[in-house]
Amino acid sequence: MSRLPAYELRLHPRARRVTLRIAPGRGLTVTAPPGFDPAQLPAILNARKDWIDHHLARLARRGQDPDASAALPDAIELRALEQTWQVDHANRPGRPALRQSGPGRLLLAGPEDDPDALRGLLLDWLRDMARQRLTPWLRDLAQETGLGFSHATIRAQKSRWGSCTARHGISLNCKLLFLPPDLCRYVLLHELCHTRHLNHSEAYWKLVYAVEPRCHALDKSLRQAWKWVPAWVS
């Protein structure tokens, strides 16, 4: 690697080894234990060149800029629910906290020098919102289509919108809330159809088409849907 990529070096007291992470809006973050010698970085990054190039290319395919601003949001647009939440910030010492301060309004309080903790609170809030809204939506669609599921879980996957198990358990990505309503609904239907066909066979797609005739156009749009997910979430 003739030229080192831009990176942020973080020394973490609980780190036991050097780890690399690439995320939209944050670029490459190198986490290392206290006492780490930065002079070792060129060799480490050279050894991980293929991994770095692969993940940067994946972000580019999704239309996500690794160097975009990763500042904590002043507003959170949940397109799937047609809601926008305003986020007020309060720089305060002590333990970070998040609470609803009014209709469609959140107060995020804590020290500005600990953005990861503040971001973690927003992610927890996003998961709770997804649990409250996506699970009932999935249940309604199951009743509408006659496609049952055993249980639903909410996660924050890096690369999958959802999944279905052989026992008809459905996992949904909380980031679905950032998608337009028709795309979010399509993902829920997509996973419900997997309760009947745990594959992408011709029979599976016939079932998808039966419950959503626009499935092919929606599936094509879904390939670019990561562009709707803001940088602070990843």
Side-chain angles (χ1 to χ4, degrees):
M1 185 181 298
S2 57
R3 182 179 177 183
L4 294 181
Y7 64 88
E8 175 190 0
L9 175 61
R10 301 183 60 200
L11 301 181
H12 197 285
R14 291 194 297 273
R16 296 185 178 181
R17 58 188 177 86
V18 176
T19 58
L20 307 184
R21 182 171 184 263
I22 293 176
R26 305 198 71 179
L28 172 61
T29 301
V30 181
T31 303
F36 173 75
D37 182 2
Q40 299 178 32
L41 272 177
I44 293 173
L45 297 182
N46 262 311
R48 300 297 302 278
K49 180 181 185 301
D50 290 345
W51 182 90
I52 293 170
D53 291 345
H54 168 76
H55 283 273
L56 289 176
R58 188 174 69 172
L59 290 184
R61 288 195 298 271
R62 292 178 178 176
Q64 295 175 316
D65 184 356
D67 298 319
S69 172
L72 294 172
D74 294 321
I76 301 175
E77 186 176 1
L78 304 179
R79 295 175 186 83
L81 308 180
E82 299 181 331
Q83 294 180 2
T84 298
W85 288 77
Q86 301 301 315
V87 183
D88 300 316
H89 301 265
N91 183 21
R92 299 175 183 170
R95 187 175 181 178
L98 175 69
R99 65 178 177 85
Q100 183 171 345
S101 56
R105 205 164 199 98
L106 300 172
L107 176 62
L108 182 62
E112 289 181 349
D113 60 357
D114 194 2
D116 285 343
L118 297 172
R119 186 177 292 106
L121 290 176
L122 289 175
L123 284 172
D124 288 343
W125 175 84
L126 184 67
R127 290 188 189 94
D128 286 342
M129 286 292 290
R131 198 170 291 111
Q132 294 171 26
R133 302 301 296 273
L134 291 183
T135 303
W137 194 354
L138 183 69
R139 192 177 299 117
D140 289 345
L141 288 174
Q143 185 174 2
E144 176 185 322
T145 60
L147 298 169
F149 64 99
S150 61
H151 64 278
T153 57
I154 301 296
R155 298 179 181 173
Q157 297 99 316
K158 297 291 183 183
S159 59
R160 303 183 71 176
W161 294 115
S163 61
C164 179
T165 71
R167 296 186 176 184
H168 300 173
I170 291 179
S171 175
L172 298 173
N173 195 329
C174 64
K175 300 169 190 176
L176 284 167
L177 293 178
F178 295 111
L179 271 55
D182 59 345
L183 281 183
C184 183
R185 178 180 180 274
Y186 170 65
V187 172
L188 271 56
L189 289 171
H190 184 104
E191 298 307 330
L192 282 171
C193 288
H194 276 311
T195 64
R196 191 76 58 82
H197 302 282
L198 201 61
N199 51 45
H200 288 95
S201 63
E202 182 178 351
Y204 167 79
W205 284 111
K206 284 183 178 179
L207 178 60
V208 176
Y209 182 81
V211 299
E212 176 47 83
R214 298 185 303 138
C215 62
H216 298 303
L218 290 169
D219 198 70
K220 184 177 180 180
S221 297
L222 192 63
R223 297 171 196 170
Q224 303 297 323
W226 288 99
K227 67 183 179 181
W228 299 108
V229 180
W232 66 266
V233 180
S234 301

